[in-house]
Each structure stands twice: as structure tokens, then as C-alpha cells.
Amino acid sequence: MLPLLNWYDFDPIREFYEWVGDNTADEVVYVLAGIVGAVGIISFAGLGALANVWLERRIIGRMQVRRGPNRVGPFGLLQPVADAIKLIQKEVLQPRASDRALFNLPPILVFIPAMLTFSVFAWAPDLVYADLNVGVLFILAVSSVTSLAIFVAGWSSNNKYALLGAMRIIAMAISYEIPLVLALLAPVIFAGTMSLAGIVDFQREVDVWLAFLLPMSLFIYAIAATAELNRTPADIGEAESEIVAGFHTEYSGMKFGLFYAVELINSLAVSGIVASLFFGGYSLYGAEEYIPPWLIFVGKIYFFYFGLIWLRGTWPRLRIDQLMAFAWKMLIPMALINIIVAATEVLLWRELEWDNWVLAVFAVVNVVLMVVMFGFFFRLITRNFYRLPRRVRLVHDISVPSLPAPDPAASS
Amino acid sequence: MIDLEHVLVVAALLFSVGLFVALSKRNAVGILMGIELMLNAVNLNLIGFARFVESPRPIDGQVFSIFVITVAAAEAAVALALAVAVYRLRQSIDVDRLNILKW
Amino acid sequence: MEDTAVVVAFYVLVVVTLGSALMVATVRDLIHAVLFLILSFVGVAGLYITLSADFVAVVQVLIYVGAISVLMLFAIMLTPRTGRDNASVPFAAPIGVLAGLVGAVIIFVAFKTEWAKADGGNSFETTAAEIGRALLDPFVIPFEVASVLLVVAMLGAILLVRPGSGGDAG
């Protein structure tokens, strides 16, 4: 059918569509609605990127007991504009030994997954750009294209440090993809559908948000998504003190600006996924009759984006081996146990037809399990971290081989 | 109008290009690229059959193609590990030069 | 299928897929060849969508583009002193003829056979749910064997490239 016709808060647009549909064919309305929706999503993402630049610097400044940028406009509000102008007027360099054809590809390639993720969100009860049946898996699939783009960026720079930074990021990205997929499986099991609009409908139906039923999924997803986004505490790729500037060392001007903007847009997309899957999307326990649902959804997105900024402002950066150990030894077992627990709960709830109060029991059980597993795996993997490697021990027991007893005959 | 024969023709062409790449590249990774193209062509055939052919349970074609994707992933992992291991020994993955077993 | 948009998308994707497959065969640089291979994977995923296999299309992108391509790029990166020039063996022209012959035979058989086509094609409501049911009811043994196969492949790959005792005669 034509899923884009029912933009119910946007009555002038709906009347315009009906007018076009009456005068021309239905396919024209479909294409037109597709274009209008795409323009809407791209403008939301672009304006979001601009706003996020200001939000991040200002809020992180406040967390570090200093004011953020406050010179460029009132409260520094024109700072993103100044940043954009600065990046546009910079000279766009291309190293001579770099791969000519491949150098310009990554800034474009890394933009595509960010945009595609926004297209499956449910902004209001009938306001989905593409209500895919496999929405959650689609988001995961397109986010794995990001690591490819980063590799091409690192490779085509013809720069050892860029390649090294790109390799580290890809190793981290593919390690954290597994807990990401496994953690998002539990809400899908509960809701019975992979489409984001369906999961939001499920949360409206049972009148409880999945964050209370599946806190472990939320925890694992939040950590894995932070690592996928290359944000602190997992931003070894762009750790300026460590590896020059990682994979975007050789990119200058607006190409670098595009990488930076895509990181911000991806943060918005991840916040959108958390808001849709775990916190009810556009619903607010009935308040969506009075407040426009898309406004509630955007509010939730920015609420969780504030959480991401908070993480960035307070936590130090983790080492790459710490990150890898965390992903493989802690998040994956936790995610697997989470799936087993979620499947058991759905079995008890749906097949045996117990009442809805059993969901409260599930919530308590899940929180207890999360704390227990976190403690258990934490002890398991940090047992060897505080022991120094068995290499050079300068102070303690260096067993110096004892010198042979001096030969009485050879002494002078 | 898309019909079953169109899908089969596309898959056959993809298969023949994959066969050419697999048989004529010197690099081991190049040969693996050809093998992946051939497996994709086979998958396309299976999906085409699942879509167009009368069957008591038409989803079988898609299930089969998921298994083919799984086996292709496992085989690519082992093949690339083999290539890296051979590189460590002979400093080359040019299959024309890996001819110790030649009599 | 009468939907004109689907037919147009099908033919555009056919051109993209076959074109990038041909570029894999002919381009000069190995990394460019891998990138064209990735483009052909994405094209094949698009073809799956036009054939109503949305779950398999997303799985294809997730596994082929997200994992196998990264594996291939890592393998190229870990073999630095080999020629990265995507060269062909000397007698490539007869191989091309052979491949063309194989393709021609397959096309001939495809047109000659009388397929038992369903009327109007098969339609699936939600492929993911049906695939899930099929994997757990009739195909449960291949499902379990596939997971064992993946574990064995993972172990084999790790053992082969372990520094020290992997790979050499020891």
C-alpha cells in the first residue's frame, strides 16, 4: 500500500498528497511521499548534527567545570555555524601517494548507514518511512558497513598510522557487533516482530516499557553501541594522544567534517534505537493524545543522547585489550544468558498464558540476574589484570644466579 | 515482467564470471573471490526457485540459501586462515609458486 | 510480478551486479577488486529483495558485506609482500571461453526445462517467522550441524594463524 499517506499531524501535507493522487496516478504520490520523507529525515539528521556540536561542547564543558563555547553567539549558539564555515574554507588535501579513486569514497560511504538507520524509526503511530519486516536486523546490517568505510579510509591514506588506527577500530567494531546483535534479540523475542513500529506497538499494548523487563539487554546494547560509535570510553580510534588522528589523519576540510558529523548522526541514531526498542518510542503512557508523538520521540532521542554525552564527559578511555576482553569474555556470555532468560520468560508468559503481573516478577529477576552476572564476570576477567606481566621485574625477586665460590687457588 | 528464466540467466552469468575469476587468478584471495561469486549465484538460483516454483513448502529455498551463506562464511574463514599461514611459510600466496607437491 | 518499480529495480540491480562482477575479474588492483566484490554482494542482496526474500537479503548484507569482506581485507593486509596486482595466470583466454561455455550450457538448460511454476509466484507473509519455524521443525538437524561447523571453522582458523605453533610443520 502507500504507507506514507497518513502523516496525521501534518494535515496540509496529507491534503496535498490527496490532491496530487486525485489528479495523477498513485505511483506519483508514492514517489513524491518518498522524496518528501527523505528530505525530512536528512534535514532532521543535518540539523541534529549541527545542534549536537553545540550540545556536546557545551555540556562537556559544564561537566568539566568550565563554560563551553560562549563567544560566537548568545551562549555560543552559533558555534556550529562557525565550525562549518571553518571546515568549508579549509584546503582539501589529498596525499599524492594515496589511492586516487578510493580516497574520496569513505566520507560518502560512512554517511549511508547513518541515514538508513533513521528510515526505519517509528515517529508516530503511522509515521514510518519504511516499515520493514526485518527492521532491527536491517539496522544491524547497515551498521556493519561503517567498519568497511573506515578500513577504506585507513587504507587509501597510504599512511601507517591511519591504517593502524583503522585496524584497531575494525577489530573493536567486529568484536562488539556480536553482543550488539545478541542484545537486540531479546526485545525481538518479547515483541514477536522485528519491525520497530511493531515493537513500539507491543510496548503500548502491554503498557510497560521493555527497559524494565530487559535491563540487561539495555545495558549490553548501550555499551556495545558506544563502542561501535567510537565514542569515549571506547574511542581508541581517534585518541588524539595516541595515534595522531586515527583513520582520518589525512582527511582535511569538509571530508573530515563529514566524518565528524556522521559520528554525531550515528549517536542520534543509536539513541533513537534505544528510545524505540527499550523506552516505548513515541508513546508516553497515554500522553501522545495531547503532545505530538514525534515530539515525544525526539525528546527521548535527545534525552539518551545526553546520556551518551554524560558517558563521554566522565569516563576515561579504555585500552584496546581491556575493550576486547570486555567484549569477548563478559558481554557475550551475558548476552547469551540474557537470551535464554528472555526466551524462558516469553514461554512462561505467552504459552502458559499467565497474567501480566508476572512481568513485574520478570523485571525483578532480570535486574537481580544482571547484577549477579556482572559481578561474576567482572571477578572472572579482572583477576589477571592487576598482575603485571611476567617480564621484567626490576625490584622484586630477580633470582640472580649465585656466583661460583671463589677459587682459593686462583686468588692472588 | 520478471520470470523464473530471467533469474536463472542472471545467476548463470554470475556463475560463469565467478568461475572465470576462480580459475584464472594468481592470488589465493582472488580465487576465494571467485568462489564467493559462484556461491552467490547459487543462492540467487535458490531464491528464484523459492519465489516462482510450485512447492508444498516454498520457504525451503530461502532456508537452504541461509545454510549456503553460513557454509560460505565458514569456508572463507578457513581459506583465509590457510592463506595467511602459507604466507608465513613461503612469503607468497601466489598459487603458481606454491608447487612443492609437483612431481 | 507486474509492479513496474520492482521490474526496473531488478534490471538496474542486474546491471550493477554483473558489472561489478566483471570488474572483479578485470581491474588492476586487488583492493579495488575486493571493493567491487562488495558492490556485487550488495547488488545480489538487492536482487533478493526484489524476489521477496527480505530476511535472506539482510542476512546477506550482514554476513557477506559485514564479515566476509572484512576477513578478505584483513587477509590482504596480513600478507604484505605479495603482489597486489590481481594478475591472471598466463592462459586466461581459454579459461574465459570455458567459463562462457559453462554459462551457455546453464542458460540453455534453464530455457529448455519445463519448470513447475506456481501461479503468480509464491508469496510469504513474514519470511523471518517462516524461516524460523522451518529451521526449528524440519531443518533442525542441519541447523545444529551448521552451528557445529561454524565452531569447528572458528577453531580451525584460530589454530592455523596462532603465532608459534600454528601452520608450520611442528
Side-chain angles (χ1 to χ4, degrees), chain C residues 23-47:
Chain C
M23 298 294 273
V24 169
T26 57
V27 82
R28 257 334 131 76
D29 184 30
L30 194 60
I31 298 277
H32 292 175
V34 174
L35 291 178
F36 275 115
L37 186 72
I38 295 173
L39 187 61
S40 78
F41 288 157
V42 174
V44 168
L47 284 172

Side-chain angles (χ1 to χ4, degrees), chain C residues 14 87 130 141:
Chain C
V14 161
E130 286 195 37
I141 293 186

Side-chain angles (χ1 to χ4, degrees), chain A residues 99 101-102 133-134 137-138 140-141 144-145 147-148 151-152 155 163 167 170-171 174 194, chain C residues 29 31-32 35 38 54-55 58-59 61-62 65-66 69-70 73-74 77 84 125-126 128:
Chain A
D99 216 331
L102 286 185
N133 270 336
V134 287
L137 205 54
F138 173 77
L140 299 167
S144 58
V145 172
S147 41
L148 261 182
F151 175 82
V152 175
W155 178 273
L163 191 61
M167 283 300 139
I170 293 182
I174 62 179
M194 276 200 272
Chain C
D29 184 30
I31 298 277
H32 292 175
L35 291 178
I38 295 173
D54 48 352
F55 185 74
V58 178
V59 165
V61 173
L62 186 60
V65 175
S69 317
V70 173
L73 289 170
F74 262 92
M77 202 208 69
R84 293 236 174 83
E125 321 101 35
T126 40

Side-chain angles (χ1 to χ4, degrees), chain C residues 22-150:
Chain C
L22 280 171
M23 298 294 273
V24 169
T26 57
V27 82
R28 257 334 131 76
D29 184 30
L30 194 60
I31 298 277
H32 292 175
V34 174
L35 291 178
F36 275 115
L37 186 72
I38 295 173
L39 187 61
S40 78
F41 288 157
V42 174
V44 168
L47 284 172
Y48 291 166
I49 296 184
T50 62
L51 294 172
S52 316
D54 48 352
F55 185 74
V56 184
V58 178
V59 165
Q60 156 106 358
V61 173
L62 186 60
I63 293 185
Y64 267 109
V65 175
I68 295 186
S69 317
V70 173
L71 258 182
M72 285 200 262
L73 289 170
F74 262 92
I76 293 180
M77 202 208 69
L78 288 174
T79 56
R81 270 186 295 262
T82 63
R84 293 236 174 83
D85 56 346
N86 205 22
S88 303
V89 291
F91 43 99
I95 298 180
V97 172
L98 172 71
L101 267 178
V102 167
V105 165
I106 299 178
I107 295 178
F108 175 71
V109 170
F111 273 108
K112 203 75 161 31
T113 323
E114 312 211 342
W115 304 105
K117 294 191 203 163
D119 243 345
N122 300 319
S123 69
F124 314 99
E125 321 101 35
T126 40
T127 53
E130 286 195 37
I131 290 179
R133 256 172 293 199
L135 275 178
L136 287 179
D137 208 349
F139 289 107
V140 62
I141 293 186
F143 180 55
E144 305 293 338
V145 170
S147 40
V148 173
L149 171 76
L150 283 171

Side-chain angles (χ1 to χ4, degrees), chain A residues 84-368:
Chain A
I85 296 179
K86 171 194 87 162
L87 284 172
I88 290 177
Q89 54 93 30
K90 274 199 178 179
E91 177 184 3
V92 177
L93 299 167
Q94 181 163 1
R96 194 188 314 167
S98 78
D99 216 331
R100 231 11 109 70
L102 286 185
F103 193 70
N104 298 318
L105 187 61
I108 308 171
L109 201 55
V110 80
F111 202 67
I112 298 178
M115 285 300 145
L116 285 179
T117 315
F118 276 106
S119 65
V120 285
F121 285 162
W123 303 84
D126 270 325
L127 195 62
V128 187
Y129 187 66
D131 192 6
L132 298 178
N133 270 336
V134 287
V136 172
L137 205 54
F138 173 77
I139 294 177
L140 299 167
V142 299
S143 69
S144 58
V145 172
T146 320
S147 41
L148 261 182
I150 293 178
F151 175 82
V152 175
W155 178 273
S156 64
S157 306
N158 204 16
N159 181 346
K160 266 197 268 276
Y161 297 106
L163 191 61
L164 206 53
M167 283 300 139
R168 294 209 302 185
I169 292 186
I170 293 182
M172 200 179 62
I174 62 179
S175 312
Y176 276 93
E177 257 170 34
I178 306 178
L180 198 77
V181 175
L182 291 175
L184 285 186
L185 199 52
V188 170
I189 294 179
F190 256 92
T193 169
M194 276 200 272
S195 92
L196 265 82
I199 297 182
V200 174
D201 278 338
F202 170 78
Q203 294 180 69
R204 285 173 80 191
E205 223 177 270
V206 289
D207 234 353
V208 64
W209 288 345
L210 278 176
F212 303 124
L213 293 178
L214 293 168
M216 194 149 49
S217 265
L218 176 60
F219 173 69
I220 299 174
Y221 178 74
I223 298 178
T226 316
E228 291 276 332
L229 289 172
N230 299 328
R231 285 180 76 94
T232 329
D235 66 343
I236 47 169
E238 353 180 285
E240 293 106 11
S241 50
E242 287 186 22
I243 196 159
V244 193
F247 63 94
H248 49 71
T249 312
E250 298 281 350
Y251 287 91
S252 66
M254 207 52 201
K255 295 185 193 169
F256 167 72
L258 214 50
F259 276 117
Y260 188 55
V262 165
E263 178 179 331
L264 298 173
I265 297 177
N266 263 329
S267 316
L268 276 185
V270 161
S271 317
I273 297 173
V274 169
S276 293
L277 287 186
F278 292 105
F279 283 95
Y282 54 79
S283 73
L284 194 56
Y285 292 115
E288 64 261 19
E289 313 273 333
Y290 312 109
I291 317 176
W294 45 271
L295 207 56
I296 298 180
F297 189 55
V298 171
K300 282 187 194 175
I301 291 183
Y302 274 96
F303 183 68
F304 295 116
Y305 181 61
F306 172 72
L308 277 175
I309 297 179
W310 196 353
L311 267 185
R312 177 179 179 176
T314 37
W315 280 7
R317 182 178 296 142
L318 292 177
R319 269 194 338 252
I320 177 126
D321 62 320
Q322 287 172 331
L323 282 173
M324 294 296 204
F326 191 63
W328 289 100
K329 295 187 206 166
M330 181 136 129
L331 286 187
I332 294 185
M334 276 174 77
L336 288 171
I337 298 179
N338 181 38
I339 292 182
I340 297 177
V341 168
T344 316
E345 288 176 2
V346 171
L347 177 74
L348 290 177
W349 180 50
R350 219 174 256 157
E351 305 292 321
L352 304 186
E353 300 278 330
W354 286 1
D355 287 327
N356 279 1
W357 56 265
V358 77
L359 291 176
V361 176
F362 289 160
V364 171
V365 165
N366 268 340
V367 172
V368 167

